[in-house]
């Protein structure tokens, strides 16, 4: 895609990755973008971030559309992860910048990645400024959003926040702005990105949102390093981030299961019937057909999760073990839950699943239901009642 001028003399010069389908176990079914921004002042020109190494050639073409690369004075590195620094070495060799501006933790990370102590680092601290001539840049740390060194860059004269990972989406589009795309998909992709990347560090996100207010940063444009640039929906995405980082939930229950010969699936459907009715959203996910990262997205605002699996070789089925390992890493907040499953000769499935839920700090509201082989009508009745019980707790809020 060609560069886009997003404000006067400020250009998106990133690349679109139409083919990305996996980002650290997160299913990026619609690709992503690696956004980078070129900001011209009257005296200095700055490049904010670079792109994944795979796209260095196209990135250089985009830079050349806007400026002769040798005229770039500074490169700001907001985050060391390779989706934003993979092309850095080649760009530095091309540009020969006067300064590479980053914080100390980022410098350490860049040295550990690229081993280039000869680069002209300029180390900045929280709140430091940079004069570009007619424009300034202020730097604010956003630690653990996504890595310890992560920071954002704010241009007060333009009310532009170059936010790096925060407020992004993994979504490859030719459109550059939030008001040019389907709003339902935009917020789904934003929620998916939050759930799969920032959920574990929600307290850090909450601190960062407070920092924006303390420093009276009121951007009218937020330019993240992935996905669409926000210019119309800033209040809505801010509200969503406050809600997600606070761990707010809605009356919604997930039933997530794997099944071998259909017994656990039958139990899941009975639990789903017990949960259903006015005032609650219920979602059933068979792990044969649903990806862990979509379940994480649904879990972001869900109040309850009920998980089910049969036993194989004295263990949980592998797709469920995969999901639980992934969700435990994401550290969801404020969930209630329960478990169910079938077994052949040793009744241990709910005990094993409950232990996993407790590791995730899910509050158990029942000891769960298990079935020897195929569930009888009596067991299915117990499943229905388990659903009713969880429904009641969900509706109590
Ligand atoms: Fe988009 Fe944490 O890198």
């Amino acid at each position: 895609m060609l560069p886009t001028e997003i404000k006067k003399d400020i250009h998106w010069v990133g690349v679109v990755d139409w083919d990305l389908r996996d980002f650290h176990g997160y299913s990026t079914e619609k690709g992503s973008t690696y956004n980078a921004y070129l900001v011209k002042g009257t005296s200095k020109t700055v490049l904010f971030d670079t792109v994944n190494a795979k796209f260095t050639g196209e990135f250089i073409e985009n830079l050349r559309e806007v400026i002769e690369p040798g005229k770039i004075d500074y490169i700001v590195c907001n985050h060391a992860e390779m989706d934003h620094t993979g092309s850095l070495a080649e760009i530095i060799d091309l540009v020969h910048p006067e300064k590479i501006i980053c914080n100390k933790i980022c410098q350490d990370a860049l040295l550990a990645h690229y081993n280039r102590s000869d680069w002209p680092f300029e180390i900045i601290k929280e709140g430091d400024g940079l004069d570009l001539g007619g424009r300034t840049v202020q730097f604010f740390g956003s630690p653990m959003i996504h890595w310890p060194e992560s920071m954002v860059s704010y241009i007060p004269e333009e009310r532009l926040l170059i936010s790096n990972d925060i407020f992004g989406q993994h979504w490859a589009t030719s459109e550059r702005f939030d008001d040019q795309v389907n709003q339902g998909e935009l917020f789904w992709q934003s929620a998916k990105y939050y759930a799969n990347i920032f959920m574990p560090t929600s307290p850090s996100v909450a601190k960062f949102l407070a920092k924006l207010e303390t420093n009276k940063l009121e951007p009218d444009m937020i330019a993240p390093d992935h996905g669409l640039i926000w210019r119309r929906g800033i209040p809505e995405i801010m509200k969503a981030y406050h809600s997600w980082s606070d761990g707010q939930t809605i009356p919604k229950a997930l039933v997530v299961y794997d099944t071998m010969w259909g017994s656990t699936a039958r139990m899941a459907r009975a639990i789903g019937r017990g949960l259903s009715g006015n005032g609650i959203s219920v979602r059933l996910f068979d792990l044969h057909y649903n990806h862990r990262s979509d379940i994480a997205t649904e879990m972001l605002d869900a109040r309850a999760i009920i998980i089910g699996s049969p036993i194989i070789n004295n263990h949980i089925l592998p797709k469920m073990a995969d999901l639980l390992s992934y969700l435990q890493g994401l550290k969801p907040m404020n969930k209630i839950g329960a478990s169910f499953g079938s077994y052949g000769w040793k009744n241990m499935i709910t005990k094993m699943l409950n232990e996993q839920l407790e590791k995730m700090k899910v509050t158990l509201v029942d000891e769960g239901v298990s079935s020897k082989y195929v569930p009888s009508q009596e067991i299915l009745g117990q499943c229905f009642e388990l659903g009713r019980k969880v429904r009641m707790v969900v509706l109590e809020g």
Side-chain angles (χ1 to χ4, degrees):
M1 295 292 113
L2 286 169
T4 304
E5 188 170 41
I6 62 169
K7 286 197 178 234
K8 178 147 178 37
D9 288 333
I10 301 180
H11 297 260
W12 174 90
V13 288
V15 296
V16 179
D17 185 347
W18 300 99
D19 300 330
L20 184 75
R21 290 295 178 270
D22 179 272
F23 189 86
H24 312 165
Y26 159 178
S27 162
T28 50
E29 75 282 358
K30 292 198 172 174
S32 190
T33 71
Y34 310 110
N35 299 340
Y37 302 95
L38 191 82
V39 179
K40 294 178 180 172
T42 55
S43 57
K44 297 290 181 188
T45 296
V46 189
L47 175 63
F48 290 83
D49 300 319
T50 66
V51 303
N52 186 316
K54 186 175 163 189
F55 299 98
T56 304
E58 186 176 335
F59 181 45
I60 291 171
E61 278 182 53
N62 274 356
L63 288 174
R64 287 195 199 283
E65 289 280 338
V66 181
I67 194 170
E68 164 54 39
K71 292 186 175 162
I72 295 170
D73 298 289
Y74 307 144
I75 297 175
V76 169
C77 189
N78 282 313
H79 177 26
E81 191 164 13
M82 285 189 270
D83 47 344
H84 310 296
T85 64
S87 62
L88 185 60
E90 233 177 291
I91 296 300
I92 289 171
D93 288 344
L94 177 73
V95 168
H96 298 294
E98 188 183 327
K99 296 175 181 175
I100 297 163
I101 296 167
C102 64
N103 61 36
K104 180 70 178 77
I105 311 173
C106 188
Q107 182 194 32
D108 291 346
L110 290 175
L111 291 173
H113 277 79
Y114 305 111
N115 192 27
R116 290 292 300 269
S117 54
D118 57 315
W119 285 352
F121 287 107
E122 167 105 348
I123 302 304
I124 46 92
K125 301 185 300 301
E126 175 81 12
D128 276 358
L130 181 69
D131 189 0
L132 308 182
R135 282 173 172 161
T136 55
V137 187
Q138 298 169 349
F139 302 103
F140 296 94
S142 51
M144 301 317 297
I145 319 169
H146 168 217
W147 282 6
E149 82 293 351
S150 294
M151 68 175 192
V152 302
S153 302
Y154 187 62
I155 302 175
E157 295 81 2
E158 304 298 334
R159 296 180 61 195
L160 172 65
L161 181 68
I162 297 175
S163 66
N164 196 261
D165 278 342
I166 191 169
F167 305 121
Q169 322 91 46
H170 283 312
W171 187 12
T173 60
S174 61
E175 296 85 354
R176 293 278 70 81
F177 294 102
D178 64 329
D179 50 38
Q180 298 171 324
V181 296
N182 179 281
Q183 297 299 291
E185 174 130 32
L186 175 65
F187 278 85
W188 164 258
Q189 293 293 354
S190 296
K192 184 169 184 178
Y193 184 94
Y194 186 97
N196 287 279
I197 294 185
F198 296 141
M199 200 175 352
T201 56
S202 284
S204 302
V205 174
K207 274 188 203 161
F208 176 76
L209 297 176
K211 183 188 282 191
L212 289 181
E213 287 172 20
T214 307
N215 287 279
K216 299 191 169 35
L217 304 192
E218 292 175 347
D220 66 9
M221 186 177 285
I222 297 178
D225 274 13
H226 298 290
L228 284 307
I229 296 167
W230 299 90
R231 64 180 178 188
R232 187 179 74 185
I234 292 175
E236 289 80 9
I237 192 64
M238 285 288 181
K239 187 173 172 210
Y241 262 68
H242 277 288
S243 163
W244 296 332
S245 61
D246 288 346
Q248 291 178 23
T249 61
I250 60 172
K252 174 175 161 187
L254 314 183
V255 182
V256 186
Y257 62 96
D258 197 356
T259 192
M260 199 185 299
W261 291 106
S263 293
T264 306
R266 288 178 67 188
M267 296 172 81
R269 295 188 73 83
I271 293 168
R273 286 174 63 80
L275 283 165
S276 64
N278 287 338
I280 186 170
S281 293
V282 180
R283 304 276 185 272
L284 267 68
F285 296 103
D286 181 334
L287 288 172
H288 288 97
Y289 311 115
N290 294 281
H291 194 272
R292 66 174 89 80
S293 54
D294 291 319
I295 292 165
T297 311
E298 292 283 359
M299 194 158 170
L300 182 60
D301 61 0
R303 201 162 286 162
I305 180 165
I306 307 176
I307 58 172
S309 171
I311 287 184
I312 186 165
N313 301 326
N314 292 332
H315 283 273
I316 297 163
L317 271 191
K319 284 185 196 302
M320 178 55 73
D322 169 289
L323 176 76
L324 291 169
S325 169
Y326 189 70
L327 293 181
Q328 283 162 13
L330 292 181
K331 298 183 185 162
M333 294 189 283
N334 306 328
K335 310 296 177 199
I336 62 163
S339 69
F340 62 101
S342 66
Y343 64 94
W345 44 98
K346 200 167 177 187
N347 186 1
M348 58 199 281
I349 185 60
T350 52
K351 180 174 181 295
M352 288 195 299
L353 291 173
N354 288 347
E355 284 170 3
Q356 296 298 317
L357 287 173
E358 283 174 334
K359 277 192 197 172
M360 218 190 295
K361 298 196 167 37
V362 171
T363 303
L364 296 175
V365 297
D366 191 273
E367 64 187 19
V369 180
S370 55
S371 172
K372 185 174 175 66
Y373 295 116
V374 178
S376 62
Q377 281 307 313
E378 184 187 348
I379 294 289
L380 291 175
Q382 290 172 18
C383 289
F384 181 86
E385 288 309 320
L386 175 63
R388 287 322 261 179
K389 186 172 179 179
V390 173
R391 169 187 166 79
M392 202 168 65
V393 182
V394 164
L395 291 177
E396 282 168 0

